Each structure stands twice: as C-alpha cells, then as structure tokens.
Amino acid sequence: MADVKKIATRESYGNALKELAAEGADKLVVLDADLSAATKTGIFKKAYPERHINCGIAEANMMCVAAGLSTMGLVPFASTFAMFAAGRAFEQVRNTIGYPHLNVKIGATHAGISVGEDGASHQCCEDFALMRAIPGMVVICPADDVEARQAVKAAYNYNGPVYLRFGRLAVPVFHSDDYKFEIGKGEVIREGSDVTIIANGLLVNEAIEAGKALEAEGISAEIINIATIKPLDKDLVLASAKKTGRVITVEEHSIIGGLGEAVCSCLAENYPVPVKRIGVNDEFGHSGPALDLLKQFGLSAENIVKVAKEFVK
C-alpha cells in the first residue's frame, strides 16, 4: 500500500470548499469555531478571507449564526470537531437548524477512534446516532478524498440540513476521478455471493482489503460503500442481502444508533437475514496511536476477515 495516495478527508473538506468558491458558489460562507487549522477550513480562509467567519470557541452560537445566515439566502458550512458539532451544540442543531429545516451544512472533523491521542473526550462515536435522530437531517460519512470532495459539493447543492463527517487520519484514495457521488446512493465496490460487507468512512478500505483476503480463502464477499447513512440506500442493502443471505456492517462508530442499526432496521422490516455488526461496542475509547486503537477495537481488515469466516462457517 506504500504507493497508494493517502489523504485525510478533513483535508478534502478544506479543498472542496475552496474549489466550490472557485467554481462560482457565490452563496457559500464558511464558519469555524477557532479550529480552522485542524478542520482545514483555513484552506478556504486563505483564498476567501471575507467569506470565512471565526466564531471562536462557541460552537452552539456558531450553529445559531449559521442558521441566521441561511435565512438570508446564504449556504453556510459550520465547521468544528464532531464532538462539539454533534455533542456540545446538539440542542442548537436540533432546534435552530433541524426544526425549521434550514439550509445549513455541518462539517464535522476529527470523529471516531482514529482521533487517537486526543482520547475518549474527543473520540466522538455517537454522532451518527445523534444526527440520524433529527428529522430531515442528511448524514454523510465519505470514505476517501474523491468521495469527500464530491460529498461537500453535493451538500452545497442540496436544499436542507446536512451533517458531513470527516476524519483526521490519512486514508487511501481508492475512487477514480470519474466516480460520481449521489446523496442517498451507495455503491458496490466488489461483487460477491457468500456474505455482504457494508462499510463507510475509513473502514471501507479495510473492508476492501478484507474482501481480498477472504477471496484467497475461498469466500466471496460483496463489498458495499454506503456513505449516506441517512437516507439509507435501502434498495442496495436489500438487493445484496437477498444475494448473499448474510450481512456484516462495519463502522467507526458505536454499534448503537449508527450504520449497523440503520441496516438492521431496513432488513428487519423488509428481508430479515443474519447480521453481524462491527463497530465500537458499548464503551468509550482511550488515548493511543490511531492505527493501534483501530486494531484494538476490532476496526481492521484482520477482524473483518475473522468475523466473516466464522459467520460463513
């Protein structure tokens, strides 16, 4: 994998904002809570300083400012760490953005266990659950640089609230430049017949690697990337479940309330099949190197292979 380009999706976020403005997105404004160097909105700020607002360490207020700007016809992207966007500012996101269904986009970076050394207080593994619960909120977690940049642009063109989750850790870029992202649509990355593996975010690449390893052992795994957790691509989930009869979900999020539960709800109501969920169990993370933590919490290709082999057997 040494020759594969790796980019953190938070970097993709900053670049996409700059690209949008250069492409004529004249309604775009970017807000940040004094973290522009970390969220990478500083890339946009350097090119368009008059359209970047630093709201200071006041995330709840930033969401209200974004809401107000949206009522004036602008398209604000409110940016901060996921723990603060989904956690600290939940009431404002729910009541000030979600309830009136305003055209605000939330750019949440540094989510999940891969925040690493920042520890449990910053390793937000509950944001999918929180944001999915808000009526009308679109929830997206892209897998690589190509998908992340396209997701940002799709969010800009979508009329309504969108929560976008980006990672701190650099991840391999596996999409080609001709890939087309669409809100609410997943993609089959690898065809298979024995088991379906549905993933999002940085774990899509781990699922791809797991698929290769499983093939070497005679197990055919269908690998699906579902970046849009809400609305879920139910047609794709059901079609793959009917083909393989077994589903594994993989996410850098609690197994409670995230991608796994969204998939389980879809299958339980329409086509019940056995499901295994891989994610963070009912526990908090802790400080440590990101890659070591991902393996410790079972968020790795090796563990996906182990679960799939036992499941198929």
Side-chain angles (χ1 to χ4, degrees):
M1 297 294 290
D3 57 341
V4 176
K5 181 169 65 173
K6 293 185 177 182
I7 302 174
T9 52
R10 62 172 173 147
E11 190 92 27
S12 312
Y13 177 50
N15 287 328
L17 293 171
K18 180 181 175 181
E19 290 167 9
L20 266 172
E23 292 166 3
D26 57 350
K27 296 180 180 180
L28 171 66
V29 289
V30 178
L31 289 69
D32 207 293
D34 210 28
L35 286 170
S36 59
T39 63
K40 298 303 179 181
T41 66
I43 296 170
F44 177 87
K45 179 181 179 180
K46 184 176 180 180
Y48 302 94
E50 73 285 357
R51 294 163 67 179
H52 185 280
I53 303 170
N54 183 3
C55 294
I57 306 174
E59 295 84 2
N61 180 63
M62 177 177 66
M63 297 303 173
C64 294
V65 172
L69 291 171
S70 73
T71 67
M72 303 301 291
L74 297 172
V75 182
F77 278 72
S79 320
T80 186
F81 289 2
M83 189 66 250
F84 308 141
R88 180 175 295 168
F90 177 79
E91 180 190 349
Q92 286 69 29
V93 173
R94 179 191 183 275
N95 290 342
T96 312
I97 296 171
Y99 182 41
H101 199 73
L102 296 181
N103 194 28
V104 175
K105 321 303 170 184
I106 300 168
T109 69
H110 293 67
I113 291 294
S114 59
V115 175
E117 288 82 359
D118 286 358
S121 64
H122 285 55
Q123 291 165 345
C124 187
C125 295
E126 306 84 21
D127 54 330
F128 293 168
L130 288 166
M131 294 297 106
R132 281 182 64 227
I134 297 177
M137 179 70 73
V138 171
V139 182
I140 302 173
C141 180
D144 70 355
D145 172 66
V146 173
E147 186 168 60
R149 286 188 286 111
Q150 289 201 23
V152 172
K153 295 175 182 180
Y156 176 82
N157 291 311
Y158 174 84
N159 185 25
V162 179
Y163 179 86
L164 295 144
R165 185 210 246 205
F166 304 106
R168 175 189 190 182
L169 190 66
V171 293
V173 180
F174 59 86
H175 282 111
S176 60
D177 289 334
D178 60 357
Y179 168 69
K180 301 298 181 185
F181 171 82
E182 184 179 347
I183 291 175
K185 295 294 183 182
E187 62 168 334
V188 177
I189 295 177
R190 183 187 185 94
E191 297 277 355
S193 58
D194 294 325
V195 62
T196 296
I197 301 174
I198 300 175
N200 64 12
L202 61 79
L203 289 177
V204 175
N205 185 70
E206 296 298 313
I208 292 171
E209 293 305 307
K212 296 175 183 176
L214 288 167
E215 183 180 32
E217 300 201 30
I219 298 173
S220 175
E222 180 144 297
I223 310 299
I224 293 179
N225 169 30
I226 292 190
T228 310
I229 305 161
K230 181 186 174 187
L232 185 74
D233 190 342
K234 294 182 179 180
D235 290 340
L236 180 57
V237 170
L238 291 172
S240 187
K242 289 175 181 178
K243 183 197 296 189
T244 68
R246 303 179 186 86
V247 174
I248 298 173
T249 62
V250 191
E251 59 190 315
E252 192 191 3
H253 182 273
S254 171
I255 59 170
I256 301 169
L259 174 66
E261 286 205 350
V263 169
C264 284
S265 295
C266 171
L267 294 173
E269 293 176 352
N270 297 283
Y271 190 77
V273 297
V275 179
K276 297 285 187 181
R277 291 174 296 160
I278 296 176
V280 179
N281 294 318
D282 192 15
E283 60 184 316
F284 287 102
H286 59 81
S287 181
L291 294 177
D292 291 346
L293 290 176
L294 289 170
K295 289 185 178 180
Q296 180 184 339
F297 282 84
L299 309 179
S300 65
E302 292 85 350
N303 190 51
I304 297 171
V305 169
K306 178 183 176 182
V307 172
K309 287 170 65 177
E310 293 174 352
F311 200 16
V312 171
K313 182 175 63 176

